[in-house]
Amino acid sequence: MVCVVLLVVSFGFLFFRAAQTHEMAAIRDKAQLVAELLNQNTDTNYEVINSGDTRITIISADGRALSDSHIGADLSVNRSDRTEFIQAVNYGSGEAIRASATLGADTFYYAIRLDNGNVLRLSRTLYSLGEVFTSTIPIFAIITIVILAVAYFIAYRLTRIIIKPLTEIDFDNSTSSESLYEELWPYMKKIDHQKAEIASQFATLRNRAETIDAIIANMREGLVMLDEKGLVLAVNKSVLDIFGISAKHDVVGQNIGYIYHDSDFMQGVKQCLGGAFFEMNFSRNNKFYNAFLSPGTLGRAVSEANDQPASGGAIVFILDTTEQHKADLQRKEFTANVSHELKTPLTTISALSEMMANGMAKADDVAGFSQKISDHTKRLMNIIDDIIRLSEFDESKVEKNFVKFDIYELAKTVIATLQDKAEEKSVSVELTGQPLQIEANNRLLDELIFNLLDNGIKYNKDGGNVTIDISYENDKCKISVTDTGIGIASQHQSRVFERFYRADASRSKKTGGTGLGLSIVKHIAEHHNGNVILESTEGVGTKVVCYIAI
Ligand code: ADP
């Protein structure tokens, strides 16, 4: 458009100049012609008549108009001061251009001195610049439209041709870029390189995300992520298990109260959404949990990225503390039991020794008292030995000390040590099975068999019997001790492995039991990668089976 306008203006101007020059030359020629005609004519009684666009005036030597072709021209005006007149009088011809007051255009005057001294003047209004432009505008408008149309068409075609290879670039196949402009090859290479880099970074990120997902999904601890309104954003399977919720989509998008509606917990959530940490214990379905609520850094990270004010949110972490809770309870019970177990014999020892020291004991009683003191001391020693053994197991201080030996032979020797006790109760002890070489801690297995046989004898009926069977089953050594004794009521069966737990406290004490024997048995079995199974029917008998890895 700018080019077209510039062209129109410059051509218009040139055209205007050319037209003016041409017009002036024509007037000069015409004036020469008329002057020649007039010079040939001696009649000076002129009367010029209207001769088209050109005005003809004949002026006398003193400047008066003798005749004028312009109708209504004022002949009385003296023209002796006009430039063209002065030049014509002095030099034979003269010319001038003056702005015409009426038309607002320039008028060209050309004067020639005639032979008789008069001056012939021709004048004509020249084309004005405005006129030139107005007359050429329609043509230029048409030209402009044509140029624009052609330019549009050519530009459209050219652009399509230039762009075609670009639109056909196959970014997945970099070799296709070879048909492309050479100038773009480096960019294609760069894109290829970046694509590979993005793909590898994406794979790394996906891997990382999958790893985190897998960790969250598989962790035993419960994890809930909340938005700033307390609505569930994400939840893992453990939470669903803890709260007995069947499907994840039931909870996502719900208020946290849908998962666990507890006033303390809800208060904690509120506190946490306000930016404070919160911790609480709760129990559900006989299990104990610790819930940790932390203000959500997730929301904060997102909002920082968006340059928005921190939005909050919370992370709830739920830890199963049932085992810890049980252990705490057991420890408390154990401490209470230990004190009780130690105090009873000590009280007796103290009372008897005081009586003897004060001379309150009769001479005949001294032997009996001393025996009692000795018995209680032995009992104390037994309890303390057992406690030490158990604490060693607790602290994993027991050394393996595995050696190869025949467990069948070991059982035989243990039976021999208990023979007297068995006979006292008229209980027969029998060994079945076959010799079996195992690699284990023989001192501990001696203790295990001793404890089981001892219980079988202690808690037996007069004339009953105990059988110990040694066999090989599923790559393990199986030691089963079966008795025909009093049995254990079902409600006690799961607890007899607890420390100091006794199904029948008075009987156990009478028989010298510490309540720690089966606990030690269980630890010894576990020390050998094994386990213990107890089956018992009250009044019928008990069977304890130990599996030991060999
Ligand atoms: P204790 O030293 O009292 O025998 P244990 O730990 O060996 O302690 O046994 C725990 C309790 O289990 C015993 O007090 C007893 O009530 C019961 N018990 C263990 N073995 C037998 C058995 N063979 N028959 C009946 N009751 C048994």
Side-chain angles (χ1 to χ4, degrees):
M1 281 301 288
V2 170
C3 284
V4 169
V5 168
L6 282 176
L7 271 177
V8 167
V9 170
S10 46
F11 274 103
F13 193 72
L14 284 176
F15 179 68
F16 162 71
R17 292 297 299 269
Q20 254 191 0
T21 317
H22 181 74
E23 253 185 322
M24 291 191 299
I27 288 170
R28 281 189 206 104
D29 287 350
K30 212 171 183 181
Q32 292 290 348
L33 198 69
V34 175
E36 264 171 45
L37 284 172
L38 285 173
N39 281 338
Q40 284 167 20
N41 203 336
T42 48
D43 184 6
T44 51
N45 199 9
Y46 314 109
E47 192 183 347
V48 283
I49 52 160
N50 191 358
S51 58
D53 287 343
T54 312
R55 177 180 171 185
I56 301 172
T57 316
I58 297 176
I59 308 162
S60 67
D62 55 359
R64 271 178 310 109
L66 299 174
S67 177
D68 199 321
S69 67
H70 184 61
I71 301 157
D74 186 1
L75 294 179
S76 62
V77 177
N78 192 296
R79 288 169 173 85
S80 58
D81 59 340
R82 305 287 198 271
T83 317
E84 70 280 4
F85 177 80
I86 298 166
Q87 283 175 1
V89 170
N90 293 333
Y91 310 112
S93 69
E95 59 184 58
I97 294 173
R98 280 194 296 281
S100 142
T102 42
L103 295 167
D106 288 340
T107 305
F108 178 63
Y109 297 90
Y110 188 74
I112 293 179
R113 191 183 60 214
L114 297 174
D115 293 347
N116 57 13
N118 290 335
V119 172
L120 166 74
R121 187 184 77 175
L122 264 70
S123 67
R124 184 170 171 161
T125 307
L126 298 172
Y127 280 123
S128 73
L129 202 55
E131 255 177 323
V132 171
F133 280 116
T134 356
S135 60
T136 50
I137 273 175
I139 299 164
F140 279 118
I142 291 166
I143 292 172
T144 308
I145 289 167
V146 170
I147 288 175
L148 282 181
V150 171
Y152 176 80
F153 180 73
I154 293 173
Y156 180 77
R157 295 286 308 183
L158 267 178
T159 315
R160 296 238 0 207
I161 292 166
I162 294 168
I163 278 179
K164 199 169 174 250
L166 297 177
T167 55
E168 283 171 359
I169 293 178
D170 182 2
F171 284 100
D172 294 325
N173 177 15
S174 62
T175 49
S176 74
S177 70
E178 263 146 43
S179 59
L180 192 65
Y181 304 118
E182 203 176 316
E183 295 81 349
L184 291 180
W185 289 358
Y187 296 96
M188 287 303 289
K189 279 203 185 104
K190 181 103 187 143
I191 288 172
D192 259 4
H193 177 72
Q194 286 184 342
K195 239 172 49 188
E197 213 166 278
I198 289 169
S200 96
Q201 283 175 357
F202 189 73
T204 316
L205 280 178
R206 200 174 38 206
N207 259 353
R208 216 175 282 169
E210 276 170 6
T211 313
I212 293 171
D213 278 356
I215 291 172
I216 292 175
N218 294 315
M219 66 189 205
R220 272 187 58 229
E221 293 76 16
L223 189 79
V224 188
M225 291 176 194
L226 301 178
D227 71 2
E228 72 280 4
K229 289 190 201 110
L231 301 180
V232 177
L233 288 174
V235 65
N236 73 348
K237 190 174 172 295
S238 298
V239 173
L240 305 182
D241 293 345
I242 293 169
F243 295 99
I245 298 163
S246 51
K248 198 186 255 187
H249 55 80
D250 282 356
V251 267
V252 174
Q254 298 275 3
N255 189 286
I256 179 73
Y258 183 88
I259 294 181
Y260 185 41
H261 195 78
D262 172 87
S263 57
D264 285 348
F265 182 70
M266 293 308 286
Q267 188 59 35
V269 169
K270 211 170 147 193
Q271 198 172 312
C272 183
L273 290 175
F277 286 88
F278 183 80
E279 189 186 335
M280 70 175 278
N281 299 320
F282 66 93
S283 80
R284 233 184 131 82
N285 301 330
N286 292 329
K287 292 191 126 198
F288 296 87
Y289 301 96
N290 243 15
F292 300 92
L293 286 79
S294 321
T297 43
L298 269 184
R300 207 150 286 159
V302 170
S303 61
E304 263 168 27
N306 292 346
D307 232 2
Q308 300 273 316
S311 60
I315 295 170
V316 183
F317 191 71
I318 300 168
L319 211 66
D320 185 341
T321 54
T322 312
E323 289 303 316
Q324 199 184 327
H325 195 82
K326 265 193 200 159
D328 278 353
L329 262 180
Q330 274 179 3
R331 205 167 300 132
K332 274 184 205 151
E333 252 176 47
F334 180 72
T335 320
N337 285 336
V338 167
S339 330
H340 178 77
E341 293 296 329
L342 297 180
K343 215 169 165 192
T344 320
L346 275 174
T347 317
T348 315
I349 292 167
S350 157
L352 292 175
S353 52
E354 249 176 60
M355 277 170 77
M356 292 201 303
N358 296 342
M360 283 164 71
K362 292 182 205 143
D364 296 349
D365 295 334
V366 171
F369 282 7
S370 306
Q371 184 58 48
K372 270 192 179 160
I373 290 173
S374 160
D375 288 348
H376 281 291
T377 311
K378 264 187 211 144
R379 186 169 155 69
L380 269 178
M381 296 287 283
N382 282 342
I383 294 174
I384 290 166
D385 275 351
D386 283 354
I387 291 172
I388 290 171
R389 177 69 37 78
L390 281 170
S391 71
E392 279 172 0
F393 277 117
D394 285 346
E395 289 166 27
S396 310
K397 269 191 190 162
V398 180
E399 281 179 21
K400 284 216 145 156
N401 286 339
F402 280 14
V403 288
K404 276 200 170 153
F405 63 92
D406 186 341
I407 180 102
Y408 189 80
E409 286 304 316
L410 179 76
K412 258 189 210 168
T413 53
V414 178
I415 291 171
T417 56
L418 283 164
Q419 206 55 54
D420 289 350
K421 198 170 183 178
E423 274 168 16
E424 251 174 56
K425 279 209 74 171
S426 326
V427 171
S428 63
V429 182
E430 200 188 332
L431 172 65
T432 60
Q434 70 225 6
L436 180 65
Q437 281 289 330
I438 64 167
E439 192 172 343
N441 184 317
N442 60 347
R443 192 182 59 80
L444 291 179
L445 280 194
D446 184 310
E447 197 169 343
L448 179 141
I449 295 172
F450 183 93
N451 280 345
L452 293 180
L453 285 178
D454 188 43
N455 281 353
I457 296 166
K458 271 195 301 191
Y459 304 109
N460 218 318
K461 297 167 191 160
D462 278 349
N465 60 292
V466 181
T467 311
I468 173 163
D469 181 71
I470 304 291
S471 62
Y472 176 75
E473 195 178 296
N474 294 337
D475 289 339
K476 287 198 168 173
C477 160
K478 180 181 174 190
I479 307 163
S480 31
V481 178
T482 317
D483 65 61
T484 55
I486 56 168
I488 305 167
S490 55
Q491 73 268 26
H492 299 301
Q493 286 179 13
S494 62
R495 300 201 61 190
V496 287
F497 292 97
E498 288 174 22
R499 295 165 192 195
F500 294 115
Y501 190 86
R502 291 166 177 127
D504 181 349
S506 58
R507 189 178 182 127
S508 172
K509 274 190 194 161
K510 232 184 278 163
T511 54
T514 60
L516 296 170
L518 284 181
S519 287
I520 293 173
V521 165
K522 194 175 163 204
H523 276 291
I524 294 173
E526 283 168 2
H527 185 72
H528 288 86
N529 269 337
N531 60 316
V532 187
I533 297 164
L534 181 135
E535 290 165 25
S536 183
T537 313
E538 211 177 353
V540 178
T542 304
K543 181 181 182 183
V544 183
V545 181
C546 295
Y547 290 95
I548 306 288
I550 51 178

